[in-house]
């Protein structure tokens, strides 16, 4: 049976409307490219590239911000984003121990694709730990995979439907003791789009909540012996031209969406949000819809976007679970997918109709 | 009909056990004192004191930390706590515009009660905005009220059942378009107690979630014309001797509990968490129950406390709604209480039995 | 003998040119008003208002940022500035224990001057501890003094020469074991002005450095028994329209100027920088003078402003020492002024000519 | 003529005594290992390892903290240190574009030396940009160089005299338009040692200050066409057992030392301080020398350490300049060493005797 997204399954999270694709690629210009490596018994890894636009990002940087909710994580480049307020490379997501080789490959990408030898460059690489299913120490993601992922993201392929589940950097990941990986979603507000993509590798089984229903407690699926309690990478894109400070505050609301899926952001989690804007339209350009009321009329306009990012994050996480498939990997470790029939059963019990 | 706490109503949030009182006062030494001012048509205010211990806190400071999730707020003293890692006065909660007078009164308290004239002092005063029901600008909380609240907190009265709802600093507050105010709860883990007290004044009606059920969308109660989208003060206490860094990370998990009640932490919210420890027992003293597994064996022990603080925060918020009563205030403004019958109805609809 | 500013004395700090007044009031629109209270033997206090413009700042907020280098300090309102990126009231400076009453008085100011009753307001009050010369606990700064200081700042008087030394909030302060207080300075770069005002109350005698000369070690002046090692408030203004993030980074460079006068930012110091911009001209408007070279052509333009703020801070601190006069206060405590003749002697010894 | 350290040259910075070696290795357990790569015309690079102790640091982590004063830098692992408060690998310093390969090699080091395959690891790699003299893009630092540097640091060699100047990660670096690189120094206070090591690559020529003397303005040495205004990595070690919060505050005082050498921490600088403690003696163990006076008797004890770290940082920077030698590198670029005769001349002019 083909895996469906949460919304195809009849689960509608939140109240705002998704964009056309219900994906981060609804934000104009944003591309996503996955390279998935599944070989033999022990290689279950890959890399995902998110490109804010298809051009040379070093030359046309994008305004950005980072929230490090719990920084037990190896992501590269984030402190510079916090201080400079811009991103100057694609964002790459991968398995923990690939992190630095992927970052290094980004240098080569700039040289080979743009015939420009960077003297300095701040590659943004996010990671979660796929070591239960993947031979992480093997560091199987190579330069060519990084190139391919970025090329895909920049090409037309990267602008359309985003594959979810066991793909790209998300290939070996575990979410709430079930098969996790990549998920995405988006929300619209007054022609503004907020898109989110997650690499889900966190949460304990018993804590899983789907749209308010405590599914984790009710599920009857074997749990992996290890790999619960890990990390999540959350990428947020919007086409509203915000400042870095505003994006930072926006990014913090992703944690609200994360919380609603059941995570407690464990001690050993690297729970990071990276937000950027591709837009040129500012809040001021929506003046007619802005009711000045007190403090900072303009900034109040952000409230619906806070909701949008929380909803999109929650749905992206649930999408990762809905799309990921049971996987066996290194040491014959196995992680099971979210079983649709059980979800249906549990939802009924909790008075939620699924259409 | 007397107002009940959520648990008396049959709603059990989370999986950890509450302490004896299910209140912040379950944490050894902690006291809470309310002074409630309801006079005429326009005075609906008060002050709540939380004392980490009953002694002179300046002389016996407590380790502390602060999370400023969204700092549109006037709380005093928090930056010093962030840098010094200690609290040296009781914590006071009140209505926004009383903030500075309450802080000033704390100086007098030290002089009059301890016969010691502080040369420097860092009063911790938290606030939310009760201006829809209260004549805030009148600043009706006086020195004597501050004294009385601290005295109560330090006395035996302050160590027992904590009044909730329309009391103390919470008197005029609004939560999710319903009457809000003070709420409290606690959780136990291996003889460690985590207690939380909130002054709830945030959230939009339609967003209210109670134990996963989207109650806000289903409620049929008149909404206040203003006053949604405000702030919350969250006070966290534990008897486990943590460092300031560890307390900070613990305090961040309160946001997870907050998120699960439906807040998006609006642009104009002052959503602060202040955490302190009264304990002398360290993580190391629980060695037998600590399984060393990787990174930092000791710190892993904090995971259940993260859950405890999230659960206790969620329940404290719901308790505030369950205990608060319909109130009319300044300009004949009125805010309605959470109606039990509707909650019961909605819970049934969502498959949640209420015993 | 009348006290002179450092530059009148022949000491030229740094390489950039000062503005016309060599004061924070060189920044267009900025006003400074002092109210100085010297009464009897024990009252040595006051309040200083800095107004970014002469209008209603709540209605026309200014972009701002805060650096808390060492936050053993009671300043109010700073966390909100960090998150919201704006200031909405005048900035007031005073003696520590006046802090909260001064903040409270700002509310009344808005009501009485603007016939507008604030429902929420974020008063910015900075403080240092004048308790060696002043009866701090008496809290002698009253509402009327706050009003007067703000009125002066907003009036024409506030736009001109800024009094320094034993004035306003700086009245009882101590710097490097010498009489400290208020100091100011400014720097120009390409028609951009950066102005700084300090309330100097920090530093140990032996550590004092004036323009690179270790004056503190060589001075022969009685030291106060207490009061070394305190705090400094640094206010930075510029007419270049920067974002809050950029202002934050600018404000950090004040610490460089502070360091060069000899401070180690002691454990019990409240060393805060508050920066704001009054400008509408952006970096982009100086395009011709911006050489794009690498990272972020625009932002490189900030380098000379970093220098400007460091130089102006250093000179403002030295000005405070040069202008302050010997003062006797409570308990007959006395703090001596910087003796010009000794400075001259020491400068000669260190090969610095003083014209 | 052999290059001398500042103190051998007669320049004594500050008032506290240096340790036996006047180096970071005065802190018990700390080791430093350099591997220097100077080959042909374009390879001028290397790697420096600092080991808090000679054991497996992953198994015996050290308490640590980070100050990111200006985070235009690519260092890896720092965010995790900020949140977790520990370091679990050696610290490596290198040229910018080697950063990620060096981080990756640290994984292999753990596997090959400790026969343990890390599932997760947080390599700490600091960098500054040596691209004016080195073929940075060539990334010439290989796994074996990283291994050798760490082995040296852990061996007896690493515990003794630390080579300075054109060595290890500092090989191609530029300081104040002069040849920079590695420098170190230490200070003692009551049997407590604070040691600092810097990789100096920042500052503009005209801004250089040596012990208060504005040497940069007076020097007559050709300037490099590029490479001014870069970064500095500052490593701080102490044998006093501090908390992560206390170490963070200590680390900030390194910026004071940096400021006194003339830097303005430029827009494109990665000015980071990484501090750790190897000690088991706590502040409390120095009780007799602690005079309780107000706030936090214990913490006041840190004041002399703030001075120690500022002085040691200042001297380490000056040592880097004093020890580095004129170097020619890629594209025949040349950077000149600090000329002793001119320093002597300038010092005389500024009344500083050099013994």
């Amino acid at each position: 049976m083909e895996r469906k997204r949460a919304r195809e399954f009849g689960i509608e999270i939140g109240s705002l409307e998704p964009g056309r694709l219900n994906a981060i690629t609804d934000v104009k210009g944003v591309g996503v490219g996955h390279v998935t490596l599944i070989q033999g018994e022990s290689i279950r890894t890959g890399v995902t590239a998110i490109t804010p636009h298809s051009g040379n990002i070093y030359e046309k940087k994008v305004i950005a911000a980072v929230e490090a909710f719990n920084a037990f994580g190896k992501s590269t480049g984030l402190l510079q984003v916090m201080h400079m307020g811009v991103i100057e490379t694609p964002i790459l997501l991968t398995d923990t121990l690939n992190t630095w080789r992927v970052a290094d490959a980004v240098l080569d990408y700039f040289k080979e694709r743009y015939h420009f030898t960077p003297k300095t460059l701040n590659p943004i690489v996010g990671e979660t730990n796929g070591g239960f299913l993947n031979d992480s120490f093997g560091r199987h993601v190579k330069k060519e995979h990084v190139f391919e992922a970025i090329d895909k993201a920049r090409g037309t392929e990267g602008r359309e439907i985003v594959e979810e589940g066991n793909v790209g950097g998300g290939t070996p990941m575990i979410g709430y003791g079930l098969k996790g990986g990549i998920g995405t979603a988006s929300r619209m507000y007054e022609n503004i789009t907020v898109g989110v993509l997650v690499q889900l590798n966190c949460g304990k089984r018993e804590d899983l909540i789907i749209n308010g229903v405590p599914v984790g407690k009710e599920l009857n699926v074997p749990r992996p012996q290890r790999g619960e309690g890990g990390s999540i990478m959350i990428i947020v894109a919007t086409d509203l031209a915000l400042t870095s400070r505003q994006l930072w505050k926006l990014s913090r609301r992703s944690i609200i969406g994360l919380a609603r899926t059941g995570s407690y952001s464990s001690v050993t989690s690297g729970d990071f949000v990276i937000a950027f804007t591709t837009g040129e339209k500012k809040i001021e350009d929506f003046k007619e819809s802005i009711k000045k009321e007190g403090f900072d009329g303009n900034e109040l306009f952000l409230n619906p976007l806070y909701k949008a990012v929380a909803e999109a994050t929650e749905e992206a996480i649930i999408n990762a679970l809905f799309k990921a498939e049971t996987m066996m990997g290194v040491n014959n470790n196995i992680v099971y997918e979210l079983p649709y029939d059980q979800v249906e059963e549990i939802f009924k019990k909790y008075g939620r109709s699924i259409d």
Side-chain angles (χ1 to χ4, degrees), chain A:
Chain A
M1 195 178 75
E2 212 190 329
R3 301 290 289 173
K4 300 186 224 168
R5 308 184 78 190
R7 213 163 266 263
E8 293 169 309
F9 192 81
I11 294 175
E12 297 197 358
I13 287 166
S15 59
L16 294 167
E17 284 299 306
R20 185 175 63 94
L21 300 161
N22 193 17
I24 196 171
T25 48
D26 285 321
V27 178
K28 202 183 154 192
V30 176
V32 175
H34 299 300
V35 170
T36 306
L37 301 173
I38 299 180
Q39 292 159 15
E41 297 186 350
S42 62
I43 300 182
R44 302 285 182 275
T45 188
V47 61
T48 294
I50 299 104
T51 49
H53 58 73
S54 60
N56 180 334
I57 298 167
Y58 184 83
E59 284 179 358
K60 200 183 158 202
K61 297 170 179 28
V62 293
I63 305 289
V66 166
E67 163 68 10
F69 191 72
N70 195 70
F72 187 92
K74 283 68 189 169
S75 297
T76 70
L78 303 191
L79 265 169
Q80 180 162 326
V81 176
M82 290 176 178
H83 277 233
M84 306 308 290
V86 292
I87 282 178
E88 63 185 26
T89 72
I91 299 166
L92 284 303
L93 301 177
T94 189
D95 191 7
T96 301
L97 301 184
N98 294 318
T99 301
W100 307 279
R101 293 193 183 177
V102 169
D104 187 66
V106 174
L107 269 69
D108 296 303
Y109 187 89
F110 274 80
K111 179 159 193 200
E112 298 191 22
R113 287 295 182 271
Y114 302 120
H115 308 293
F116 135 76
T117 308
K119 293 191 183 318
T120 175
L121 196 71
N122 189 44
I124 308 297
V125 184
E127 53 76 33
T128 60
N129 193 329
F132 184 68
L133 291 175
N134 181 42
D135 164 29
S136 288
F137 197 82
R139 288 161 281 177
H140 299 287
V141 173
K142 308 294 180 198
K143 203 171 86 164
E144 58 265 28
H145 305 128
V146 173
F147 281 34
E148 187 186 341
I150 302 177
D151 284 343
K152 279 183 178 172
R154 293 175 59 210
T156 49
E157 178 185 339
R159 310 310 173 81
E160 281 301 320
I161 290 170
V162 176
E163 279 184 281
E164 294 167 295
N166 303 349
V167 290
T171 302
M173 302 305 162
I174 303 174
Y176 296 100
L178 298 159
K179 191 64 194 63
I182 299 293
T184 189
S186 72
R187 289 293 183 276
M188 303 294 300
Y189 176 74
E190 299 234 358
N191 294 323
I192 298 163
T193 309
V194 175
V196 171
L197 181 144
V198 303
Q199 179 166 307
L200 171 69
N201 194 44
C202 73
K204 293 206 169 180
R205 167 65 60 77
E206 64 267 26
D207 298 332
L208 174 62
I209 300 168
I210 298 183
N211 208 11
V213 177
V215 170
K217 288 196 292 209
E218 311 266 357
L219 278 179
N220 184 11
V221 190
R223 297 171 67 150
Q225 305 92 299
R226 274 194 304 109
E228 293 182 89
S231 305
I232 186 167
M233 291 298 310
I234 303 173
I235 314 301
V236 174
T238 182
D239 51 11
L240 183 66
L242 299 174
T243 67
S244 180
R245 180 186 59 79
Q246 290 169 324
L247 278 173
W248 169 63
K249 294 181 68 183
L250 186 66
S251 74
R252 303 198 101 185
R253 273 63 188 186
S254 275
I255 301 305
I256 289 170
L258 171 63
R260 291 187 186 156
T261 65
S263 170
Y264 294 94
S265 194
S266 78
V267 167
T268 49
S269 71
D271 293 351
F272 295 102
V273 191
I274 303 171
F276 62 84
T277 173
T278 62
E280 288 174 14
K281 245 186 163 175
K282 296 185 181 182
I283 297 181
E284 290 80 354
D285 301 327
F286 291 84
K287 273 219 175 90
E288 283 156 51
S289 42
I290 298 176
K291 295 172 214 136
K292 295 248 176 202
E293 37 167 313
F295 170 66
D296 181 340
N298 281 0
E299 196 132 344
L300 283 177
F301 189 71
L302 294 177
N303 274 329
L305 299 195
Y306 287 2
K307 189 170 197 165
V309 79
E311 287 188 5
T313 304
E314 184 178 353
E315 185 160 331
I317 291 168
I318 302 305
N319 277 340
L321 294 173
F322 268 82
K323 291 291 284 182
E325 295 173 355
T326 299
M327 180 180 272
M328 181 179 280
V330 68
N331 301 324
N332 290 323
N333 288 332
I334 189 161
V335 184
Y336 292 96
E337 67 194 30
L338 179 72
Y340 291 166
D341 51 349
Q342 291 189 36
V343 173
E344 210 159 342
E345 213 53 46
I346 297 165
F347 264 61
K348 257 185 217 148
K349 181 172 163 188
Y350 284 86
R352 310 284 177 114
S353 62
I354 294 181
D355 311 315

Short mmCIF file of all heavy atoms in Angstrom, two decimals, chain A residues 203-232:
data_model
loop_
_atom_site.label_atom_id
_atom_site.label_comp_id
_atom_site.label_asym_id
_atom_site.label_seq_id
_atom_site.Cartn_x
_atom_site.Cartn_y
_atom_site.Cartn_z
N GLY A 203 11.81 12.05 19.76
CA GLY A 203 10.57 11.68 20.43
C GLY A 203 10.56 10.26 20.93
O GLY A 203 11.19 9.36 20.35
N LYS A 204 9.84 10.09 22.02
CA LYS A 204 9.65 8.74 22.56
C LYS A 204 8.28 8.23 22.14
O LYS A 204 7.32 8.98 22.09
CB LYS A 204 9.74 8.78 24.08
CG LYS A 204 11.13 9.13 24.57
CD LYS A 204 11.39 8.56 25.94
CE LYS A 204 12.88 8.73 26.24
NZ LYS A 204 13.23 8.21 27.57
N ARG A 205 8.22 6.94 21.92
CA ARG A 205 6.99 6.31 21.46
C ARG A 205 5.76 6.76 22.26
O ARG A 205 4.76 7.21 21.72
CB ARG A 205 7.12 4.79 21.56
CG ARG A 205 5.79 4.03 21.40
CD ARG A 205 5.19 4.21 20.03
NE ARG A 205 6.11 3.72 19.03
CZ ARG A 205 6.31 2.42 18.75
NH1 ARG A 205 5.60 1.50 19.34
NH2 ARG A 205 7.18 2.08 17.84
N GLU A 206 5.85 6.62 23.57
CA GLU A 206 4.65 6.83 24.38
C GLU A 206 4.19 8.28 24.35
O GLU A 206 3.06 8.59 24.74
CB GLU A 206 4.90 6.39 25.83
CG GLU A 206 5.96 7.19 26.56
CD GLU A 206 7.34 6.57 26.46
OE1 GLU A 206 7.60 5.85 25.47
OE2 GLU A 206 8.17 6.82 27.36
N ASP A 207 5.03 9.17 23.86
CA ASP A 207 4.70 10.59 23.89
C ASP A 207 4.03 11.09 22.61
O ASP A 207 3.54 12.22 22.56
CB ASP A 207 5.97 11.43 24.13
CG ASP A 207 6.62 11.11 25.47
OD1 ASP A 207 5.89 10.71 26.41
OD2 ASP A 207 7.85 11.28 25.58
N LEU A 208 4.00 10.26 21.57
CA LEU A 208 3.51 10.73 20.28
C LEU A 208 2.05 11.21 20.35
O LEU A 208 1.17 10.49 20.83
CB LEU A 208 3.61 9.61 19.23
CG LEU A 208 2.98 9.96 17.86
CD1 LEU A 208 3.66 11.14 17.20
CD2 LEU A 208 3.01 8.74 16.95
N ILE A 209 1.85 12.43 19.87
CA ILE A 209 0.52 13.02 19.77
C ILE A 209 0.28 13.35 18.31
O ILE A 209 1.13 13.97 17.66
CB ILE A 209 0.43 14.32 20.60
CG1 ILE A 209 0.73 14.05 22.08
CG2 ILE A 209 -0.94 14.98 20.44
CD1 ILE A 209 0.95 15.34 22.88
N ILE A 210 -0.85 12.93 17.77
CA ILE A 210 -1.20 13.33 16.40
C ILE A 210 -2.49 14.13 16.45
O ILE A 210 -3.54 13.61 16.83
CB ILE A 210 -1.37 12.09 15.48
CG1 ILE A 210 -0.03 11.32 15.40
CG2 ILE A 210 -1.81 12.52 14.07
CD1 ILE A 210 -0.06 10.11 14.47
N ASN A 211 -2.35 15.39 16.12
CA ASN A 211 -3.51 16.30 16.13
C ASN A 211 -4.28 16.22 17.45
O ASN A 211 -5.51 16.20 17.45
CB ASN A 211 -4.43 15.98 14.93
CG ASN A 211 -5.20 17.22 14.48
OD1 ASN A 211 -4.90 18.34 14.92
ND2 ASN A 211 -6.19 17.04 13.63
N GLY A 212 -3.57 16.19 18.54
CA GLY A 212 -4.19 16.19 19.86
C GLY A 212 -4.51 14.81 20.40
O GLY A 212 -4.82 14.66 21.59
N VAL A 213 -4.43 13.79 19.57
CA VAL A 213 -4.75 12.44 20.01
C VAL A 213 -3.47 11.73 20.50
O VAL A 213 -2.48 11.70 19.78
CB VAL A 213 -5.40 11.64 18.85
CG1 VAL A 213 -5.68 10.21 19.29
CG2 VAL A 213 -6.65 12.33 18.36
N PRO A 214 -3.51 11.17 21.69
CA PRO A 214 -2.31 10.54 22.25
C PRO A 214 -2.05 9.16 21.63
O PRO A 214 -2.14 8.14 22.30
CB PRO A 214 -2.63 10.43 23.74
CG PRO A 214 -4.12 10.34 23.80
CD PRO A 214 -4.64 11.15 22.63
N VAL A 215 -1.71 9.18 20.37
CA VAL A 215 -1.56 7.95 19.59
C VAL A 215 -0.47 7.06 20.18
O VAL A 215 -0.60 5.83 20.23
CB VAL A 215 -1.27 8.30 18.11
CG1 VAL A 215 -0.87 7.07 17.33
CG2 VAL A 215 -2.48 9.00 17.48
N GLY A 216 0.63 7.67 20.63
CA GLY A 216 1.77 6.90 21.10
C GLY A 216 1.43 5.91 22.19
O GLY A 216 1.94 4.78 22.20
N LYS A 217 0.61 6.32 23.11
CA LYS A 217 0.23 5.46 24.23
C LYS A 217 -0.58 4.25 23.79
O LYS A 217 -0.63 3.24 24.48
CB LYS A 217 -0.63 6.24 25.22
CG LYS A 217 0.12 7.27 26.01
CD LYS A 217 -0.66 7.73 27.23
CE LYS A 217 -1.90 8.52 26.84
NZ LYS A 217 -2.29 9.52 27.87
N GLU A 218 -1.28 4.39 22.68
CA GLU A 218 -2.23 3.38 22.26
C GLU A 218 -1.67 2.44 21.21
O GLU A 218 -2.23 1.38 20.95
CB GLU A 218 -3.49 4.08 21.69
CG GLU A 218 -4.05 5.17 22.57
CD GLU A 218 -5.16 4.66 23.50
OE1 GLU A 218 -5.51 3.47 23.40
OE2 GLU A 218 -5.66 5.46 24.31
N LEU A 219 -0.59 2.84 20.59
CA LEU A 219 -0.03 2.04 19.49
C LEU A 219 0.48 0.69 19.99
O LEU A 219 1.01 0.58 21.09
CB LEU A 219 1.14 2.78 18.82
CG LEU A 219 0.84 3.84 17.78
CD1 LEU A 219 2.16 4.44 17.30
CD2 LEU A 219 0.08 3.24 16.60
N ASN A 220 0.38 -0.26 19.11
CA ASN A 220 0.93 -1.57 19.40
C ASN A 220 1.86 -1.97 18.25
O ASN A 220 1.47 -2.66 17.33
CB ASN A 220 -0.22 -2.57 19.56
CG ASN A 220 0.31 -3.93 19.95
OD1 ASN A 220 1.48 -4.07 20.29
ND2 ASN A 220 -0.56 -4.94 19.87
N VAL A 221 3.05 -1.47 18.33
CA VAL A 221 4.08 -1.73 17.30
C VAL A 221 5.39 -1.94 18.04
O VAL A 221 5.67 -1.21 19.00
CB VAL A 221 4.24 -0.50 16.35
CG1 VAL A 221 5.10 -0.86 15.15
CG2 VAL A 221 2.91 0.06 15.93
N PRO A 222 6.20 -2.91 17.62
CA PRO A 222 7.49 -3.11 18.31
C PRO A 222 8.33 -1.83 18.29
O PRO A 222 8.35 -1.10 17.29
CB PRO A 222 8.16 -4.21 17.49
CG PRO A 222 7.07 -4.89 16.74
CD PRO A 222 6.01 -3.86 16.51
N ARG A 223 9.00 -1.58 19.38
CA ARG A 223 9.83 -0.39 19.47
C ARG A 223 11.27 -0.72 19.13
O ARG A 223 11.76 -1.81 19.44
CB ARG A 223 9.81 0.16 20.88
CG ARG A 223 8.45 0.60 21.32
CD ARG A 223 8.43 0.94 22.79
NE ARG A 223 9.23 2.11 23.06
CZ ARG A 223 8.97 2.95 24.05
NH1 ARG A 223 7.93 2.76 24.84
NH2 ARG A 223 9.74 4.00 24.26
N PRO A 224 11.98 0.19 18.56
CA PRO A 224 13.43 -0.04 18.35
C PRO A 224 14.11 -0.05 19.72
O PRO A 224 13.67 0.62 20.65
CB PRO A 224 13.86 1.18 17.52
CG PRO A 224 12.82 2.21 17.76
CD PRO A 224 11.55 1.51 18.08
N GLN A 225 15.20 -0.82 19.82
CA GLN A 225 15.90 -0.91 21.10
C GLN A 225 16.62 0.39 21.45
O GLN A 225 16.88 0.68 22.60
CB GLN A 225 16.94 -2.04 21.07
CG GLN A 225 16.40 -3.39 20.69
CD GLN A 225 16.50 -3.63 19.19
OE1 GLN A 225 15.91 -2.89 18.37
NE2 GLN A 225 17.24 -4.64 18.81
N ARG A 226 16.99 1.11 20.45
CA ARG A 226 17.67 2.39 20.66
C ARG A 226 17.08 3.42 19.72
O ARG A 226 16.28 3.11 18.86
CB ARG A 226 19.16 2.28 20.34
CG ARG A 226 20.01 1.78 21.47
CD ARG A 226 21.49 2.03 21.19
NE ARG A 226 21.94 1.43 19.93
CZ ARG A 226 22.27 2.11 18.82
NH1 ARG A 226 22.21 3.42 18.81
NH2 ARG A 226 22.66 1.47 17.73
N GLY A 227 17.53 4.65 19.87
CA GLY A 227 17.25 5.63 18.84
C GLY A 227 16.05 6.50 19.15
O GLY A 227 15.65 7.32 18.34
N GLU A 228 15.47 6.33 20.33
CA GLU A 228 14.44 7.27 20.72
C GLU A 228 15.09 8.43 21.48
O GLU A 228 16.10 8.25 22.15
CB GLU A 228 13.40 6.58 21.60
CG GLU A 228 12.61 5.55 20.82
CD GLU A 228 11.52 4.90 21.68
OE1 GLU A 228 10.42 5.43 21.71
OE2 GLU A 228 11.81 3.87 22.30
N GLY A 229 14.49 9.57 21.38
CA GLY A 229 15.00 10.70 22.16
C GLY A 229 16.01 11.54 21.43
O GLY A 229 16.71 12.35 22.04
N GLY A 230 16.13 11.37 20.11
CA GLY A 230 17.10 12.13 19.33
C GLY A 230 16.66 13.54 18.98
O GLY A 230 15.99 14.20 19.77
N SER A 231 17.02 13.93 17.79
CA SER A 231 16.98 15.34 17.40
C SER A 231 15.99 15.62 16.28
O SER A 231 15.49 14.71 15.64
CB SER A 231 18.37 15.75 16.90
OG SER A 231 19.36 15.46 17.86
N ILE A 232 15.78 16.90 16.05
CA ILE A 232 15.03 17.32 14.88
C ILE A 232 15.65 18.58 14.30
O ILE A 232 16.07 19.47 15.03
CB ILE A 232 13.53 17.55 15.21
CG1 ILE A 232 12.73 17.84 13.93
CG2 ILE A 232 13.35 18.67 16.23
CD1 ILE A 232 11.22 17.76 14.12
#
